[in-house]
Amino acid sequence: MSRTKRYGTMWLTHAVLILGAFTMVFPFFWQIWLSLMSNAEVTAVPPTLIPAQFKWQNYVTVFERIPFLNQFWNSVLITVIRTIGQVVLCSLAGYAFARMHFRGRGALLAVVLSILMVPGQIYLLPQYQLIQGMHLLDTTWGIVLPGIFSAFGTFLMRQFFVGLPNELEESARLDGANPFQIFYLVMLPLAKPAISAVVITTVLWSWNDLLWPLVVTSQDKSMPLSVGIAMFAGRDTTDYSVMMAAATMAMAPILILFVALQRRVIEGLAHTGLKG
Amino acid sequence: MTAARMTSGRALGARSEGLRRDGLRRDGAWPWLFVMPLLTGVTVFYLYPIVATLWMSLTKTGEFGRGSRFVGPANYETLVTDPKLLGALGNTLTFTGIVLLGVPISVLLAALISRPGLRFAKVYRVLYFMPYVAMPVAVAIVWKMIFNGEYGILNYALRSMGVANPPYWLSTPGVALIAVSILGLWSSIGFNMIIISAGLKSIPVELYEAADLDGASPTRQFFSITVPLLTPSIFFLSVMTGIGGFQLFDTIFVLISPMSPAMPSTKSLVYLFYQEAFVNGNRGYGAAIAVFVMALIGLVTIIQFRLQRRWVTYV
C-alpha cells in the first residue's frame, strides 16, 4: 500500500524539482536572452521580455571589444597544459607514495598533504614574486606553473593506487619489467577512474579560476577568458548585451563538455568528494 | 581482475621469495625518480611560499612597494584593531552561514531526485549541476543584470508580485551581501546534491523495507533513517562549505564595484587580502591577513571535527 502511496505523490516531487530546476537554469537562459537584445532593450524599465529582433551582431562585436580569440586560446592552453602536467606528475608521485618503499615516504606524504589544509592566499604573494623573478608575468607558463603541481591530485591518485592488488605488480616483476614499465604498462591503465577525476577537477578549476591569473596578467592579450571578461565587465559599464554575449561564449565550452560527458563528470566529482 | 586471478599463484610464490631475500622490498632509486618532479614543484611553489609569507607578515613594505624591513608583530597588532578586517570577517562568516543553508535544501532535493522510479532524474541532475561547473565570473555577470535595482528582472518580478519598493540589491549596504550569498547558494546546490546522492545510495534498502513493515510514514522514514545515515555526508559538506566560504572572491570582484557604497559591508577576507597585497602594494600587511585567514580556517575546521562526535552517525 505504501508503494502506491509513494508513487501517488510523484507529481508533487516533480513540482518541487521543476521549480528548483527553473531557478538553476533561468540565469543561463536569461544571459543568452539578454545577449540577443539591443543595449536599449537590456536597460529598459520595465525590462524587455521579448526583444524586437534578435541581435546576433552582439556576438561579432565581442571580437572588436576584447581580444576574445587570444583569451580563448590562452584558456585552452592553460587548461590543457595543466591537466596533462597534473596527470603525469600526480600519477607518478601518487604511485610511488602508494606502492613503492623508500626512506621518508610517510613524512614526505604528510608534507605534501599538509598543503591541502592551507588556503590559497598563503602562497599567492611569494608565487607572484617567483613568477616575476622568472620573468614569466603575462605569459602562459606564468599562469600554468604553480598549478601544475597538485597535492590534491597526488592524494587522489595515491588513494586509488593503494587499493589495487599486489599480484599484478609481482607477476610483471617476475617477467622482468622495471618499476617504470610496471607503472606505465600495468598499473596506470587501471587508474582511469582516478585519472578522470583529476582531469575533471583540473579542467574545471583551470578554465574558471580568477584570482591567480588576475594577479599575474596585466595585458589583455595574455589573459585567460575568466580575467578577460571580468575586466571587460568592470571597464565597460554601458555595453551590457555585448558583455552577455562574451560571458556566454566564455562559459559555453565547459557547459557543452559537461552536458556531453555528464555521467562521467558527476561520478568523477562524487568520487573526489567521497575520498576527499 | 581475470589477469590477477590467473597469475596469483605465481605471484604469491614470488612475494614470499622477495620477503625472504631482504625482509622489506626496497626499490632503490626508482621511487625518487617518481616523486622528484612533484616534490621539486611543491617545494618551490608551495612550501617555500608558506615560509616566505610567514616572514613577509613580519615586515613592512617600503614606499612604492619597494624594499621591506622587519617590524616584528606590528602588522598583526594593526590587524586585530583594523575595522576593515573585522568587517571582512563578519561578511565572510555571514556569507558562509547563508551558503550552509544550502545543505538542508540539497538533502531535500537529493532525496527527491533519488526516489526510485522517478522520471527525468538524469535531466534534473544535469540541470541542477550546471551552476557548479559554469565559470563564476561569467555567471556573476548575468546575476549583476538580474539583481539590477532599476531594470533587473528580479525586481520586475517582485514589483509585479506587489512588492512596492524592492531593494537596490547590489548598491545597498547589507543587502548586497545577501545578493552575493544567494549566488553562492545557487552555485553550491549541485555539488551538495551529488555528495548527498552518493550518501543516499549507501543506505541499505532493507532499513526502509523494515520501516515499511512497521508502518512508518515516508516522512518518519526520512527523518529517522535517511537523515541520521546521511550525517557523514552532511558533515563533509559543512566542512567543505566552511573552507570554500572563506575563499569568496570572484563573485564580489564582478558584482560589486570597488567604489560602491555597499563594498565595505560586502568585502570578504580574500578580497581585502587582494586589495591590500596587490592593489595597494602593501605586501607585509597582505601576508598578515593571509596568515590570519589560515589560522581561522584551521580553527573552524578543528571546531567542526570536535563537534562532529555529537551529531555524526557512523555505521
Side-chain angles (χ1 to χ4, degrees):
Chain A
M1 188 202 97
S2 80
R3 283 278 147 208
T4 50
K5 208 171 155 194
R6 267 191 206 176
Y7 285 100
T9 57
M10 258 327 171
W11 66 270
L12 191 62
T13 302
H14 279 293
V16 175
L17 287 174
I18 288 172
L19 185 71
F22 174 79
T23 320
M24 294 294 142
V25 177
F26 177 77
F28 295 102
F29 161 75
W30 196 238
Q31 184 161 51
I32 297 171
W33 201 237
L34 290 179
S35 77
L36 296 172
M37 294 184 187
S38 73
N39 214 32
E41 284 170 325
V42 170
T43 53
V45 184
T48 314
L49 297 182
I50 296 160
Q53 55 170 350
F54 289 143
K55 223 183 140 199
W56 297 101
Q57 179 64 27
N58 290 332
Y59 283 84
V60 182
T61 313
V62 170
F63 295 88
E64 293 160 15
R65 296 295 155 78
I66 53 172
F68 189 89
L69 284 179
N70 292 69
Q71 295 179 349
F72 181 85
W73 181 237
N74 291 338
S75 283
V76 170
L77 270 183
I78 292 160
T79 306
V80 170
I81 299 176
R82 254 197 204 151
T83 306
I84 295 175
Q86 276 204 17
V87 167
V88 172
L89 297 172
C90 296
S91 58
L92 278 170
Y95 178 78
F97 280 128
R99 310 198 67 94
M100 288 171 145
H101 303 272
F102 55 102
R103 207 174 279 277
R105 180 176 80 164
L108 284 174
L109 182 64
V111 167
V112 171
L113 294 188
S114 67
I115 290 170
L116 288 175
M117 317 279 171
V118 179
Q121 303 87 270
I122 286 284
Y123 313 116
L124 213 63
L125 277 162
Q127 282 178 344
Y128 172 81
Q129 289 174 330
L130 283 167
I131 295 298
Q132 189 181 32
M134 295 171 174
H135 302 287
L136 288 176
L137 291 181
D138 272 318
T139 65
T140 306
W141 280 104
I143 305 172
V144 163
L145 211 46
I148 248 183
F149 306 99
S150 163
F152 181 65
T154 307
F155 176 63
L156 276 182
M157 294 306 300
R158 181 205 171 259
Q159 293 305 88
F160 183 85
F161 281 127
V162 158
L164 292 180
N166 278 327
E167 284 76 10
L168 295 167
E169 259 170 330
E170 296 293 348
S171 67
R173 191 171 289 123
L174 266 194
D175 292 342
N178 70 34
F180 182 77
Q181 288 168 324
I182 297 173
F183 162 75
Y184 188 71
L185 299 172
V186 181
M187 304 302 265
L188 197 60
L190 297 174
K192 273 181 196 138
I195 293 174
S196 69
V198 172
V199 169
I200 291 159
T201 46
T202 315
V203 167
L204 278 181
W205 166 63
S206 297
W207 192 271
N208 294 341
D209 185 36
L210 174 67
L211 185 52
W212 172 250
L214 172 71
V215 161
V216 287
T217 57
S218 56
Q219 284 159 15
D220 280 354
K221 283 197 171 182
S222 50
M223 291 169 179
L225 278 174
S226 56
V227 185
I229 63 164
M231 286 299 167
F232 182 36
R235 177 172 61 219
D236 208 310
T237 45
T238 52
D239 223 349
Y240 294 118
S241 40
V242 177
M243 216 184 286
M244 294 303 134
T248 304
M249 288 196 287
M251 64 179 168
I254 291 291
L255 285 180
I256 292 169
L257 268 182
F258 165 62
V259 173
L261 305 171
Q262 30 157 313
R263 244 193 66 202
R264 246 164 208 266
V265 175
I266 291 178
E267 275 169 11
L269 285 168
H271 179 80
T272 66
L274 289 175
K275 295 278 168 82
Chain B
M1 270 300 137
T2 357
R5 218 171 292 133
M6 269 159 49
T7 53
S8 64
R10 218 154 49 119
L12 275 176
R15 189 164 39 174
S16 53
E17 186 186 309
L19 282 173
R20 218 176 301 137
R21 219 186 300 126
D22 59 310
L24 186 70
R25 179 172 53 79
R26 295 214 175 252
D27 297 292
W30 282 101
W32 296 103
L33 290 175
F34 277 56
V35 292
M36 253 351 204
L38 182 93
L39 283 184
T40 312
V42 161
T43 310
V44 173
F45 287 108
Y46 295 91
L47 296 179
Y48 158 72
I50 294 178
V51 181
T53 295
L54 286 172
W55 170 252
M56 222 183 270
S57 73
L58 303 174
T59 65
K60 187 164 171 56
T61 314
E63 294 285 314
F64 309 111
R66 276 167 208 284
S68 53
R69 61 193 168 80
F70 184 78
V71 290
N75 286 323
Y76 293 99
E77 280 160 19
T78 321
L79 199 66
V80 289
T81 53
D82 188 346
K84 276 184 299 182
L85 180 92
L86 293 176
L89 177 60
N91 298 337
T92 305
L93 290 174
T94 310
F95 171 83
T96 310
I98 297 179
V99 178
L100 274 175
L101 294 179
V103 176
I105 297 174
S106 313
V107 171
L108 179 74
L109 288 170
L112 291 179
I113 228 173
S114 308
R115 288 185 66 173
L118 181 83
R119 290 173 131 212
F120 309 117
K122 265 189 197 161
V123 180
Y124 286 129
R125 198 156 282 156
V126 169
L127 296 181
Y128 279 88
F129 207 59
M130 274 169 62
Y132 182 78
V133 291
M135 182 189 285
V137 171
V139 157
I141 286 176
V142 70
W143 277 94
K144 198 174 178 177
M145 301 301 291
I146 293 174
F147 279 129
N148 186 285
E150 285 170 71
Y151 45 80
I153 189 81
L154 177 61
N155 277 2
Y156 173 75
L158 289 174
R159 279 195 201 99
S160 28
M161 283 191 292
V163 181
N165 281 311
Y168 276 59
W169 292 92
L170 299 177
S171 53
T172 314
V175 180
L177 183 57
I178 294 176
V180 169
S181 309
I182 291 175
L183 209 173
L185 192 66
W186 175 78
S187 47
S188 70
I189 296 230
F191 181 72
N192 291 355
M193 281 174 68
I194 298 305
I195 300 298
I196 299 285
S197 300
L200 283 172
K201 271 193 206 128
S202 66
I203 301 177
V205 193
E206 293 79 23
L207 292 177
Y208 294 105
E209 285 165 359
D212 264 344
L213 285 179
D214 292 343
S217 70
T219 322
R220 180 70 201 276
Q221 293 183 16
F222 178 75
F223 284 106
S224 303
I225 301 174
T226 314
V227 172
L229 291 179
L230 277 181
T231 44
S233 310
I234 295 174
F235 172 68
F236 169 75
L237 284 180
S238 27
V239 172
M240 294 299 279
T241 309
I243 294 173
F246 278 96
Q247 299 300 312
L248 172 64
F249 176 76
D250 302 16
T251 319
I252 294 180
F253 188 81
V254 175
L255 277 188
I256 320 283
S257 73
M259 294 302 148
S260 162
M263 189 46 121
S265 60
T266 314
K267 195 185 286 183
S268 66
L269 285 167
V270 178
Y271 192 94
L272 182 69
F273 161 79
Y274 166 76
Q275 222 178 14
E276 289 294 340
F278 291 100
V279 180
N280 302 343
N282 221 338
R283 287 194 301 262
Y285 197 57
I289 297 174
V291 174
F292 177 78
V293 173
M294 174 173 74
L296 211 63
I297 292 182
L299 191 72
V300 170
T301 310
I302 289 172
I303 293 175
Q304 282 181 315
F305 271 90
R306 278 278 156 83
L307 289 179
Q308 71 156 326
R309 284 180 215 142
R310 301 221 183 127
W311 63 277
V312 180
T313 320
Y314 290 103
V315 189

